[in-house]
Amino acid sequence: MGLLSRISKAQRRTIFGRFVLDWMPRLSYVMVAVSFFWLLALPHQNYSHEVYLSENALLPGGANTRFDYSDVLAAEAYRDTVQRISTLSSYERAKALEQEFAQIGLKAATQNYTLNTSTDSKHGVNTYAVFYAPRSDGTEALVLSASWTSRDVTANTNAIAALLALGKVFKRGSHFSKDIIFVVSDGEAEGLMAWLKAYHGNEENTKDRAEETLHIRSGAIQAALNLDFAGTGDYNGLGIFFEGVNGQLPNLDLIKTVTYISGGLALTLHDEIVPYTDNMTKNYMNSLRRMLYMMKYQAAGTPSGNHGLYLKYKIDAITLYGFNRPGLDANRYGLFRLGSLVESTVRSLSNLLEHLHQSFFFYLLSGIHRYTSIGLYMPPVIILGVSFIFQALSLWGESSDLSLEVEAIAQGKEVPVTLPYSRRSRSFKTPATIVGMSFVAGLASFKLVKTEFGFPGETPLLKLVASVGVCTMLVFSAVSAARLRQHLLVKNEAEKKKAQVNSKSSSGEPAPAADWIMLKTFILALSALMVTTLSALNFSMAVSIGVVIVLPFMIFRPSKFLILNAIQIVILSVISPPGLVFLASWLYDMDVSLVLRWVLDGYEIFGTWLLPTLCCIYWPLNIASMVMVLMPTE
Amino acid sequence: MRHTSVSTVLTLSVALLALTTAPAAATKDSVPILKAPEAFHEELVLKPLNDGSVYSHFQFTTHIGTMMDEQHLDGAASNLFTHYNLFPRSIGQILHSFDVEELHLTFTQGRWQYGDWGYPLAPSVGTGVELWAWLNDDKGQTDLNWKGLTNTLSGLFCASLNFIDDTITTEPKLSFRNEGLYNVHSNVNASSADTKRLRYGSLPHENVCTENLTPWIKLLPCKTKAGIASLLKSHKLFDSRFYSMSIHVRPVCEDELCRVKSLELVQSITTVFDVARHDGSHDWTLIGLFEREITQACPLASTSKIVLHLPQTTNYQNQYALTPAPAKGTHFIGSEEDKQEIAVYDISGVSANSSPFELSMQWENARPKSVRPITPGIVAHRYFTGYGQERGGLSIEIHNNNSEDVESVYLDTLPWYLKLYLHTFTIDLNGKTLDNQRDLVSKMFYQPAVDRGRPAVLEMALRLPAKSLVKFSISFDKVFLKYTEYPPDANRGFDVGCAVITAELPRQQGQIGYGGLDHLRIYQEREASQVQSRFNSTRGSEDEGLDKIRVYTETLLVSLPTPDFSMPYNVITLTCTVIAMFFGTFFNLMMRDFDVVVPKESKAKGKKTT
């Protein structure tokens, strides 16, 4: 009786196992579909909420601004001055600005820095000035910054003029609780980066990086506004840039404060004005485009403006960007409006009693007024990860011998019984070796791309080609080794069978599952690990990687038809890092070497994770899948 | 023998005790000048600063008791702490009941800009509240007395002084020595410091406002009804760049040989008004600064003066006009290179019948053409390095602008939640790391912190080389506090009080600080020679012109790892639910007995069998 019940239990388990094995792959495809639809639904109005102000202390727009007509005149005068000195050398214009700040009555100083990357050498001088808030203890500070070079790669004249004029306005008031630091950084991002490093006492003095120690300091920086008002004219659009290094975001309250204060002046996300229409489809498409735009910056990890550098130091910051788009009312934003907007924002931030912490740090914006919270956007990535795991599990089950049955003798009868365990051995040697070697190759190509060897004619492109060569060699050798092994195994098997036939022993141990099954299990499990882990660190990067690899990695398997294999290999090559580089250069109509240099600069200057992630995690899995596709089917 | 007993008398509150033991020794030769048992002096020092601000320093000095040495003790001394005329009774009682020898309490808001303004007259300018006192330890009750003192002062001044508890209080070994004039003498004669204990504490984030000013004003004999104090209008005082308010109680000598001693209460208010704030004009008037005028001198005041430090203009003469011109003309104080031109106005004649006292300074073209820049001898800055909430570092930069080496003492008190690593302590001299730290640090006291018990104290005797920049750095770990230990505004961070550098510096031109609080005695002719002689007698003639000053660094804000405070609530409710569920189940399973209910018949059977 006991045996029978045990047998029936085993049978039940078998049935369940079969069911799972049958349904798991299908289920995982369903999950992929769910995840895709969920992601696409995120920008929809019904899945996002109105951005609200969480921190009561901010009281946006509560203060009467003091920026008046005479300050506009002052700002215009400063604009001329800035325009005049903008053509001077770094050092001279920094010194001239220092003088201007000192004239207002602020403490001003300059800072030298040098930054050598593998492709470029940058040297510049920053100017900074501190307004000591009267009767404050100076433990907290706000930063207003502008770089000499704007997003448009022209002189940031209006922004610097606005800083000077605001300095004059602030000096008149006695109601600030925090010091205000003005930073005019040289170059694009490297100047501000050098300043921030030195402010936090991390200045270096090596061959590649040298930052002068700061002479004037204030307290802990609570928030920062970066101004980007290029040229000398007025603007018809004002946008907010907020994405930081590696997808870090400022507190949502900061964005809300600025939008709230701007009130009637329509602010936009980034540099595109999206009019609200009654057409739902159009609205949805606009939201989707905005969200993708944001996710693009997050995924690449490069900040969308200089504000991104602050976030690393736990300083919430955004960039205000003035732009001109044809087809809009002209001259909507002059110095007066910009000045009052910034002043009011600073007044509001100065009200803060604590560091910004009330509102969201993780969100997706589909418009300046609508956000999607982390609770809503995390599930699709997790579902994506789970679908990988389901695929891997079903393959793992396939590699066992669940289908094998043994004859058992119960109550004098022979009953076919499925064993609750697998007798089929799984060979880990081949998949582990291939995956391990791919990671080594990935790491090697990363080192190759980022290291400067110093031989003549050395370009990033050349190094990329070299690493592609390394990886191709790896694929070839792995595939040929696997095929050779297969050949030998088959030979062995045949001999063994012959021997078995001769000896007539019935200890028929089933042959282990094909190597590619094990390898694919490995790849899928590792992909799940990568996607879910990344989603906690950088959601957009995880989503984009997950979406790109999920179908190829799940569907692809070695085929008897050469043409299918070839198609698979082509697709895998396209989504491999070098393929992506070429794809990007084609999409953005840029030179390949420029794309490469952009990635390298991101890594070397900002320390983005794009290059290391692509080379050390993404590429190895891609290589392993290529090997998998080319492996013998049996 | 005599001298040692003198020193015990020095400790003020023991004076009464001494009265009963010593009168037998009293003889009546050369009776010292018995001044009024109580006296009140009021002064206002004004100085236009180089950056267009105006510095104002109110000082109200009250003396009580002609406490004479034991040879000349008479009935006058017994009045001390039993009868009050001018001296505020509330202070007297505090001193008496907590055995306080010397008391210094300063409320400060804003930062003193040493680089622009030089050194202030009132030496304590650390942001927040600073309290330090020398307490008699005869009965070994210093800690109890200190606790009582902080709590009482807290009530008296409507401030959170009661938060100066064991986790904040320190006992510096080298800084904050006695300031009382006759202690200098007594130290020469004999060391009586054994029975006195120093207690020091500061609250960096204490705001100062009218609620603190009102009790402070109540201590004045004329309140704000008359005299210089009538200028104190809180609306204007608190709309300034810097505001500091203090009381100092100390025993002082009234004559050269210190035969007559008295207890001195100095109340001071220091403000820096930014007059150039609105239109860039450096012109100012007294009524413009304070929105009040002096209509009447305080009738209780022995002296009532306004001292104006004239600006140190260069190159051009007569850039400014003073109205009214000082009656006695301007004169110079200080020696040759560091002389300061001052104008003294005696306002004791101002009465209800005469017109109110008015003072104004007008610049030609509203601002000076050129002024002599100020380079303070020692300037110090302190800042945190690093980012993130796990660890950090502290850097202190001390600039010595003097052309000679300066001996100084550095005192830093750090809260226990910063775990200092002393092995990471490094010294950079002009940008180069020193291998041998003993070159600069001659003495070092380090008191490690005790969690929730006491702060870490780092005190060093330093030799600052001439024209140098000395930089210390030290690393620390940040502690993850218990969740109840966070203040309501946990995300603001935690304030770390200022470090203090004490040094004797040569007097420099253009600086306000000159003898500190004693400085005002110099304006009063009767004391000028005395203060000078004190300098001479205690320091020798070669050291003349040295002032002991204290330089305060900035207060800092450190952000500790802070939990999301909505989280504990969620966790608590969740765990409570889960525990209730589990506990109920477990309790049921473990405590409930499953007995087999025996049917009646079998029971009966059982009974039969047994």
Side-chain angles (χ1 to χ4, degrees):
Chain A
M1 187 191 157
L3 181 65
L4 260 188
S5 80
R6 229 169 281 158
I7 287 172
S8 69
K9 210 173 181 180
Q11 269 167 338
R12 276 208 304 275
R13 196 178 282 181
T14 320
I15 292 166
F16 177 72
R18 286 228 175 96
F19 177 80
V20 170
L21 267 190
D22 281 353
W23 276 96
M24 211 123 75
R26 281 179 233 179
L27 188 65
S28 67
Y29 287 115
V30 171
M31 287 169 81
V32 171
V34 168
S35 159
F36 278 21
F37 276 114
W38 194 322
L39 284 170
L40 284 175
L42 285 178
H44 193 270
Q45 216 170 352
N46 293 354
Y47 298 98
S48 57
H49 302 279
E50 182 90 22
V51 178
Y52 60 95
L53 200 74
S54 204
E55 174 66 85
N56 289 324
L58 278 168
L59 299 171
N64 288 327
T65 52
R66 308 205 160 192
F67 200 88
D68 58 21
Y69 188 64
S70 64
D71 298 308
V72 177
L73 290 183
E76 278 168 358
Y78 281 130
R79 186 169 65 191
D80 298 340
T81 316
V82 172
Q83 205 171 7
R84 202 183 62 243
I85 62 175
S86 63
T87 49
L88 298 175
S89 75
S90 278
Y91 177 77
E92 283 168 333
R93 68 184 184 189
K95 279 288 168 203
L97 261 190
E98 181 188 1
Q99 203 124 46
E100 290 293 337
F101 275 118
Q103 204 81 52
I104 299 171
L106 308 179
K107 283 255 152 221
T110 58
Q111 182 208 16
N112 278 302
Y113 68 87
T114 309
L115 172 68
N116 293 323
T117 64
S118 60
T119 50
D120 204 356
S121 173
K122 294 168 179 182
H123 172 79
V125 189
N126 298 325
T127 312
Y128 57 101
V130 181
F131 161 67
Y132 292 114
R135 273 187 332 108
S136 83
D137 54 6
T139 53
E140 294 167 289
L142 300 170
V143 174
L144 285 179
S145 65
S147 60
W148 271 104
T149 320
S150 104
R151 287 181 68 81
D152 310 345
V153 207
T154 51
N156 203 359
T157 318
N158 272 348
I160 298 171
L163 284 192
L164 285 162
L166 283 166
K168 220 170 180 176
V169 175
F170 293 156
K171 193 80 177 85
R172 288 207 300 265
S174 66
H175 30 241
F176 290 97
S177 74
K178 298 170 175 55
D179 286 355
I180 294 154
I181 308 175
F182 299 88
V183 183
V184 178
S185 57
D186 207 350
E188 285 168 53
E190 61 277 5
L192 185 59
M193 210 152 69
W195 186 84
L196 275 170
K197 258 176 93 177
Y199 192 86
H200 291 89
N202 288 344
E203 62 266 30
E204 287 174 70
N205 202 356
T206 59
K207 190 167 65 64
D208 286 343
R209 285 163 188 268
E211 293 103 16
E212 193 185 335
T213 310
L214 299 189
H215 305 296
I216 307 167
R217 280 169 201 280
S218 176
I221 303 172
Q222 305 289 310
L225 276 182
N226 184 49
L227 307 184
D228 198 321
F229 305 138
T232 55
D234 290 353
Y235 311 99
N236 58 16
L238 193 61
I240 291 182
F241 283 80
F242 56 97
E243 301 88 352
V245 177
N246 291 325
Q248 257 189 303
L249 298 173
N251 197 288
L252 197 53
D253 269 343
L254 183 59
I255 295 173
K256 180 62 192 174
T257 307
V258 179
T259 36
Y260 189 97
I261 289 169
S262 68
L265 319 173
L267 274 184
T268 56
L269 274 193
H270 308 115
D271 52 356
E272 196 178 331
I273 291 171
V274 186
Y276 184 83
T277 60
D278 293 334
N279 185 337
M280 287 309 285
T281 342
K282 211 168 185 181
N283 280 341
Y284 170 77
M285 289 312 286
N286 281 337
S287 300
L288 180 66
R289 216 173 51 244
R290 296 270 46 97
M291 195 178 272
L292 286 178
Y293 194 86
M294 167 187 175
M295 288 174 72
K296 188 183 76 184
Y297 275 117
Q298 276 200 296
T302 41
S304 56
N306 274 355
H307 63 274
L309 307 167
Y310 291 99
L311 296 174
K312 178 181 164 190
Y313 298 92
K314 206 171 171 267
I315 302 164
D316 297 294
I318 54 170
T319 292
L320 283 177
Y321 172 61
F323 57 89
N324 270 308
R325 289 283 174 279
L328 288 165
D329 307 343
N331 309 336
R332 295 204 299 173
Y333 300 97
L335 279 171
F336 176 66
R337 283 184 153 177
L338 297 175
S340 338
L341 176 63
V342 175
E343 192 207 342
S344 189
T345 311
V346 170
R347 290 282 293 275
S348 192
L349 291 171
S350 174
N351 287 340
L352 275 180
L353 300 173
E354 300 178 60
H355 202 279
L356 281 168
H357 69 284
Q358 284 277 8
S359 195
F360 293 93
F361 282 102
F362 300 98
Y363 50 84
L364 290 175
L365 291 187
S366 50
I368 193 90
H369 295 297
R370 303 209 65 91
Y371 77 97
T372 308
S373 83
I374 183 166
L376 217 60
Y377 71 63
M378 275 306 267
V381 201
I382 301 300
I383 292 175
L384 214 59
V386 174
S387 73
F388 277 115
I389 288 285
F390 273 16
Q391 261 310 322
L393 279 178
S394 79
L395 279 175
W396 183 261
E398 231 173 78
S399 68
S400 79
D401 58 354
L402 267 180
S403 52
L404 292 181
E405 286 167 355
V406 212
E407 305 280 293
I409 297 163
Q411 296 183 338
K413 272 192 280 180
E414 275 199 356
V415 183
V417 169
T418 314
L419 291 175
Y421 53 87
S422 167
R423 289 188 309 161
R424 203 174 173 194
S425 66
R426 293 183 174 97
S427 147
F428 293 109
K429 213 195 276 167
T430 318
T433 320
I434 292 174
V435 170
M437 284 309 287
S438 329
F439 275 100
V440 170
L443 200 67
S445 49
F446 172 60
K447 291 269 178 211
L448 200 64
V449 170
K450 74 162 190 153
T451 320
E452 200 178 352
F453 296 98
F455 55 80
E458 180 187 345
T459 61
L461 188 61
L462 202 67
K463 286 189 276 190
L464 181 72
V465 169
S467 46
V468 169
V470 169
C471 294
T472 324
M473 291 301 152
L474 182 95
V475 172
F476 275 128
S477 38
V479 170
S480 46
R483 289 204 174 255
L484 191 64
R485 178 180 129 88
Q486 173 75 8
H487 182 68
L488 290 176
L489 274 182
V490 169
K491 221 163 143 190
N492 272 358
E493 200 86 343
E495 273 170 16
K496 234 187 229 169
K497 253 183 198 157
K498 230 182 255 169
Q500 265 174 23
V501 168
N502 292 346
S503 66
K504 282 190 178 169
S505 68
S506 62
S507 63
E509 200 176 287
D515 285 337
W516 70 265
I517 295 183
M518 294 312 298
L519 180 57
K520 193 172 167 184
T521 317
F522 265 59
I523 293 169
L524 288 171
L526 284 173
S527 308
L529 186 69
M530 167 175 75
V531 169
T532 45
T533 312
L534 263 183
S535 71
L537 300 170
N538 186 343
F539 169 78
S540 301
M541 190 190 250
V543 165
S544 33
I545 289 183
V547 165
V548 167
I549 64 172
V550 66
L551 288 176
F553 280 20
M554 269 162 66
I555 296 171
F556 289 0
R557 53 173 63 202
S559 152
K560 288 196 178 84
F561 304 104
L562 211 61
I563 182 79
L564 270 182
N565 279 349
I567 291 171
Q568 292 179 16
I569 287 294
V570 167
I571 293 176
L572 283 176
S573 327
V574 170
I575 62 168
S576 72
L580 290 176
V581 167
F582 282 97
L583 204 66
S585 75
W586 174 71
L587 265 177
Y588 292 100
D589 200 19
M590 264 164 78
D591 198 40
V592 181
S593 59
L594 278 181
V595 177
L596 250 185
R597 191 168 154 177
W598 172 78
V599 174
L600 265 175
D601 274 354
Y603 172 72
E604 284 171 356
I605 298 176
F606 304 113
T608 59
W609 300 332
L610 186 66
L611 186 69
T613 316
L614 284 185
C615 283
C616 303
I617 305 172
Y618 180 79
W619 205 352
L621 292 178
N622 191 279
I623 295 169
S625 331
M626 282 197 194
V627 174
M628 188 266 294
V629 167
L630 292 175
M631 288 220 325
T633 44
E634 284 304 310
Chain B
M1 275 311 284
R2 182 106 305 174
H3 282 312
T4 53
S5 66
V6 165
S7 56
T8 54
V9 180
L10 300 181
T11 60
L12 253 185
S13 42
V14 193
L16 285 171
L17 212 138
L19 260 179
T20 55
T21 55
T27 47
K28 295 263 176 190
D29 59 321
S30 70
V31 177
I33 331 104
L34 251 178
K35 292 186 184 158
E38 287 181 75
F40 174 67
H41 306 280
E42 53 175 15
E43 282 103 354
L44 168 62
V45 180
L46 291 164
K47 179 179 167 66
L49 298 169
N50 283 355
D51 61 356
S53 306
V54 172
Y55 168 85
S56 73
H57 174 89
F58 293 84
Q59 182 162 330
F60 305 96
T61 315
T62 316
H63 291 263
I64 185 168
T66 45
M67 207 172 58
M68 306 168 10
D69 62 32
E70 70 255 51
Q71 285 118 7
H72 306 103
L73 275 169
D74 60 5
S78 61
N79 276 338
L80 194 61
F81 297 143
T82 55
H83 185 73
Y84 297 91
N85 286 321
L86 298 172
F87 198 87
R89 183 183 172 132
S90 47
I91 297 293
Q93 282 183 332
I94 288 173
L95 299 179
H96 184 63
S97 46
F98 299 114
D99 262 3
V100 182
E101 154 93 13
E102 216 180 298
L103 171 74
H104 300 266
L105 171 65
T106 313
F107 297 86
T108 305
Q109 198 154 29
R111 284 151 290 170
W112 183 262
Q113 308 284 352
Y114 288 99
D116 293 339
W117 304 340
Y119 297 113
L121 277 177
S124 294
V125 287
T127 308
V129 171
E130 180 194 73
L131 173 66
W132 56 284
W134 281 90
L135 303 165
N136 284 318
D137 195 33
D138 295 340
K139 297 171 195 136
Q141 288 189 319
T142 306
D143 288 320
L144 213 63
N145 281 339
W146 172 248
K147 202 175 175 191
L149 178 67
T150 53
N151 280 282
T152 316
L153 287 173
S154 171
L156 184 62
F157 287 104
C158 294
S160 319
L161 287 167
N162 52 325
F163 285 107
I164 301 183
D165 54 6
D166 290 346
T167 62
I168 293 175
T169 306
T170 59
E171 186 175 1
K173 297 278 186 287
L174 305 170
S175 316
F176 295 105
R177 297 298 95 191
N178 309 40
E179 280 194 352
L181 277 182
Y182 73 71
N183 295 310
V184 179
H185 278 271
S186 66
N187 283 346
V188 172
N189 296 337
S191 87
S192 60
D194 314 340
T195 55
K196 283 178 280 173
R197 304 289 293 275
L198 171 64
R199 287 291 178 273
Y200 169 82
S202 72
L203 296 170
H205 192 53
E206 180 74 11
N207 283 319
V208 189
C209 203
T210 25
E211 58 176 3
N212 311 113
L213 178 65
T214 312
W216 186 93
I217 285 174
K218 274 189 185 166
L219 303 176
L220 297 174
C222 288
K223 312 285 187 285
T224 54
K225 299 278 184 282
I228 287 166
S230 59
L231 293 174
L232 298 172
K233 181 185 179 185
S234 49
H235 275 107
K236 291 302 280 186
L237 290 180
F238 291 107
D239 184 23
S240 53
R241 289 179 75 180
F242 176 86
Y243 174 84
S244 177
M245 176 176 98
S246 66
I247 68 163
H248 302 273
V249 184
R250 51 185 191 167
V252 291
C253 295
E254 290 290 328
D255 65 349
E256 217 168 303
L257 291 171
C258 208
R259 280 176 302 183
V260 183
K261 298 152 195 144
S262 71
L263 186 65
E264 185 187 67
L265 168 73
V266 177
Q267 287 179 262
S268 75
I269 284 184
T270 304
T271 51
V272 176
F273 294 100
D274 195 353
V275 291
R277 190 166 85 197
H278 294 291
D279 50 2
S281 158
H282 289 211
D283 297 347
W284 56 269
T285 59
L286 210 54
I287 194 162
L289 292 180
F290 299 102
E291 278 184 7
R292 291 263 179 92
E293 50 192 3
I294 305 172
T295 49
Q296 193 187 347
C298 176
L300 299 173
S302 313
T303 55
S304 230
K305 275 176 188 162
I306 294 182
V307 178
L308 176 64
H309 282 228
L310 297 173
Q312 303 259 323
T313 51
T314 52
N315 301 338
Y316 307 95
Q317 293 300 310
N318 303 324
Q319 292 185 39
Y320 55 86
L322 271 181
T323 30
K328 290 180 189 166
T330 62
H331 60 274
F332 290 92
I333 54 168
S335 58
E336 200 50 47
E337 313 113 57
D338 31 74
K339 62 183 176 189
Q340 166 71 50
E341 193 179 12
I342 61 169
V344 181
Y345 296 89
D346 193 345
I347 60 157
S348 47
V350 179
S351 68
N353 305 324
S354 60
S355 57
F357 178 75
E358 190 37 66
L359 182 63
S360 73
M361 182 180 244
Q362 306 288 330
W363 289 88
E364 202 181 311
N365 299 324
R367 47 165 63 228
K369 290 197 185 79
S370 73
V371 282
R372 201 188 306 270
I374 291 177
T375 44
I378 288 182
V379 181
H381 294 291
R382 189 174 63 149
Y383 56 93
F384 279 130
T385 59
Y387 56 94
Q389 298 190 317
E390 199 185 348
R391 57 182 72 89
L394 187 70
S395 287
I396 302 106
E397 286 175 2
I398 306 175
H399 298 262
N400 180 9
N401 299 323
N402 292 297
S403 48
E404 59 228 43
D405 291 8
V406 173
E407 297 292 337
S408 64
V409 174
Y410 175 81
L411 170 71
D412 204 342
T413 311
L414 291 163
W416 60 267
Y417 38 78
L418 303 181
K419 295 251 166 281
L420 291 184
Y421 290 115
L422 204 58
H423 73 275
T424 59
F425 182 81
T426 51
I427 304 178
D428 287 12
L429 178 60
N430 297 326
K432 286 193 189 73
T433 308
L434 274 190
D435 294 327
N436 188 8
Q437 300 183 348
R438 284 186 188 281
D439 291 351
L440 293 189
V441 182
S442 54
K443 273 186 210 163
M444 187 189 221
F445 292 106
Y446 177 66
Q447 172 193 283
V450 172
D451 277 6
R452 300 172 182 85
R454 66 173 194 206
V457 179
L458 183 62
E459 197 170 19
M460 292 178 289
L462 302 169
R463 187 184 56 81
L464 302 172
K467 301 269 177 213
S468 68
L469 165 62
V470 176
K471 182 178 166 188
F472 306 116
S473 16
I474 189 165
S475 308
F476 56 81
D477 275 355
K478 297 176 182 177
V479 169
F480 192 42
L481 298 180
K482 293 176 182 168
Y483 87 101
T484 47
E485 286 171 339
Y486 287 94
D489 55 348
N491 279 288
R492 181 177 176 275
F494 291 76
D495 286 276
V496 176
C498 30
V500 187
I501 294 156
T502 314
E504 291 205 346
L505 287 184
R507 222 164 276 157
Q508 277 173 335
Q509 196 162 36
Q511 290 183 15
I512 315 159
Y514 174 21
L517 294 175
D518 295 334
H519 178 60
L520 292 173
R521 296 167 158 260
I522 295 165
Y523 305 138
Q524 303 170 10
E525 298 80 52
R526 70 177 178 97
E527 315 230 337
S529 61
Q530 184 192 321
V531 173
Q532 207 53 49
S533 69
R534 182 176 74 87
F535 278 124
N536 294 345
S537 64
T538 55
R539 289 170 186 142
S541 51
E542 74 276 8
D543 280 348
E544 198 189 340
L546 282 182
D547 277 329
K548 197 166 197 171
I549 53 118
R550 287 201 296 270
V551 180
Y552 288 79
T553 67
E554 299 86 351
T555 56
L556 299 172
L557 194 66
V558 60
S559 72
L560 297 184
T562 315
D564 174 0
F565 278 100
S566 60
M567 215 60 185
Y569 172 75
N570 294 342
V571 171
I572 288 168
T573 44
L574 211 76
T575 35
C576 284
T577 316
V578 173
I579 281 183
M581 225 166 67
F582 275 140
F583 179 79
T585 324
F586 272 114
F587 190 77
N588 262 341
L589 286 174
M590 288 194 295
M591 296 307 289
R592 196 181 281 170
D593 271 342
F594 292 95
D595 280 341
V596 180
V597 182
V598 187
K600 271 177 190 164
E601 299 92 50
S602 58
K603 230 185 215 170
K605 258 184 201 170
K607 268 183 187 169
K608 268 179 194 172
T609 48
T610 53

